[in-house]
């Protein structure tokens, strides 16, 4: 084996190494793939659907009401929920209707005629949502582990915004 062959081999290996590093960087800091587990986001997202998570989004923009996010939960688990309450908001659920700052908030993504218990932010010992905290709820309010049970979510617990559904292929959609 001559020096030219070794040099060519090392250059090829360096290219592959850089490609692998770029892929790992992208998966770690920019985008990743996640899957819906359970029925808490029905009817919008269903069990088994595969999604793209944009981890970069909230480094330069604010979390918005209605965003579907992935968040860190107990023991390395992640939940997918919808952001409902923002810092400074007063949130209540009365007779299965959502009120934000004492005004009814229309939620066209929920199933019709769903019935779920009343909830007030005061149930979590808050009058308004503190800075850097968010209230998240599942779209299937009758069957969801969300802020009503686990409390408010800190911004640091948000893993990213769900941006795209790519499986099943019949339901491909930007979210």
């Amino acid at each position: 084996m001559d020096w030219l062959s070794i040099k060519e081999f090392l250059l090829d290996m360096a290219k592959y190494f850089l490609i692998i590093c770029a892929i790992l960087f992208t998966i770690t800091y920019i985008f990743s793939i996640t899957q819906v587990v359970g029925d808490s986001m029905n009817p919008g997202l269903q069990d088994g659907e595969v999604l793209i998570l944009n981890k970069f989004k909230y480094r330069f923009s604010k979390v918005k009401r209605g965003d579907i996010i992935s968040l860190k939960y107990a023991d390395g688990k992640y939940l997918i929920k919808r952001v409902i309450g923002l810092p400074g908001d007063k949130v209540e659920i009365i007779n299965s209707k959502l009120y934000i700052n004492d005004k009814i908030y229309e939620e066209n993504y929920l199933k019709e005629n769903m019935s779920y218990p009343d909830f007030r932010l005061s149930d979590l010992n808050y009058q308004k949502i503190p800075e850097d905290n968010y209230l998240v709820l599942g779209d299937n309010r009758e069957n969801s582990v969300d802020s009503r049970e686990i409390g408010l979510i800190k911004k640091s617990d948000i893993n990213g915004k769900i941006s795209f559904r790519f499986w099943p292929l019949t339901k491909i959609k930007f979210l």
Side-chain angles (χ1 to χ4, degrees):
M1 195 186 271
D2 63 359
W3 171 245
L4 191 56
S5 298
I6 295 172
K7 183 178 176 184
E8 198 172 292
F9 172 77
L10 291 174
L11 284 173
D12 283 345
M13 291 308 291
K15 289 177 191 174
Y16 291 124
F17 178 76
L18 288 174
I19 289 170
I20 290 169
C21 287
I23 291 169
L24 290 174
F25 177 82
T26 301
I27 289 170
T28 304
Y29 296 106
I30 301 176
F31 294 103
S32 69
I33 296 171
T34 190
Q35 185 175 19
V36 178
V37 178
D39 296 324
S40 72
M41 289 300 290
N42 279 348
L45 298 175
Q46 298 181 5
D47 188 37
E49 292 181 341
V50 182
L51 313 166
I52 299 287
L53 176 66
N54 182 343
K55 296 180 175 183
F56 200 62
K57 172 85 174 166
Y58 297 131
R59 294 188 192 274
F60 299 105
S61 65
K62 292 183 178 184
V63 177
K64 295 180 182 150
R65 187 181 334 278
D67 284 356
I68 300 173
I69 63 167
S70 170
L71 59 104
K72 294 176 196 163
Y73 184 52
D75 300 328
K77 295 180 183 176
Y78 294 91
L79 298 176
I80 296 174
K81 301 296 172 197
R82 187 178 301 272
V83 175
I84 299 298
L86 302 173
D89 283 346
K90 175 185 171 191
V91 178
E92 298 177 314
I93 297 172
I94 302 169
N95 297 324
S96 301
K97 300 284 183 203
L98 176 65
Y99 292 84
I100 299 176
N101 299 322
D102 298 320
K103 295 179 182 168
I104 196 161
Y105 185 79
E106 292 297 324
E107 298 181 283
N108 55 7
Y109 42 81
L110 299 181
K111 290 187 294 188
E112 297 272 333
N113 303 319
M114 202 177 344
S115 179
Y116 44 95
D118 288 356
F119 168 81
R120 289 176 173 69
L121 204 52
S122 59
D123 297 343
L124 301 174
N125 297 319
Y126 295 103
Q127 296 306 312
K128 292 188 176 193
I129 298 173
E131 196 64 35
D132 286 332
N133 282 264
Y134 300 88
L135 185 127
V136 296
L137 298 174
D139 290 353
N140 182 1
R141 307 276 162 79
E142 297 170 326
N143 181 24
S144 178
V145 174
D146 51 35
S147 286
R148 296 172 295 171
E149 186 175 325
I150 63 174
L152 299 178
I153 303 303
K154 295 183 184 315
K155 186 171 184 182
S156 60
D157 289 333
I158 296 175
N159 198 29
K161 181 181 189 288
I162 302 297
S163 297
F164 187 71
R165 174 177 47 210
F166 71 91
W167 188 263
L169 294 175
T170 57
K171 292 185 170 184
I172 289 177
K173 179 181 180 181
F174 284 99
L175 301 168

